[in-house]
Amino acid sequence: MYSALTATGVRKLSFSFLIIALFCLYLADTSAITGDPWQEIGRISLGMLTPSFFSYSELLSSLANTIAFA
């Protein structure tokens, strides 16, 4: 049986999602762990431009992380 949400129902649902999102934001770890974010972005960019394919330990670790998150 299909039931359409009314305008009031949509507002209640949206408000519920907002409250859940704010609660999750409160629990999230949002602290900055680097003193110089531009240096960190530079390191990430350098790693993307010059990957190390022959470092098997890093390759296997990255593959394991990718599979775990997938």
Side-chain angles (χ1 to χ4, degrees):
M1 178 183 233
Y2 179 78
S3 98
L5 286 175
T6 62
T8 305
V10 170
R11 279 192 216 108
K12 286 181 182 179
L13 185 62
S14 297
F15 184 71
S16 298
F17 280 133
L18 177 66
I19 295 300
I20 292 169
L22 290 174
F23 180 71
C24 289
L25 183 63
Y26 174 73
L27 295 177
D29 181 18
T30 57
S31 63
I33 58 172
T34 181
D36 185 13
W38 291 110
Q39 181 183 12
E40 191 68 26
I41 291 172
R43 288 180 58 224
I44 291 170
S45 299
L46 182 64
M48 287 190 320
L49 295 174
T50 59
S52 175
F53 292 113
F54 300 109
S55 174
Y56 292 113
S57 63
E58 281 186 46
L59 184 62
L60 292 176
S61 173
S62 298
L63 181 62
N65 283 335
T66 300
I67 291 171
F69 281 102

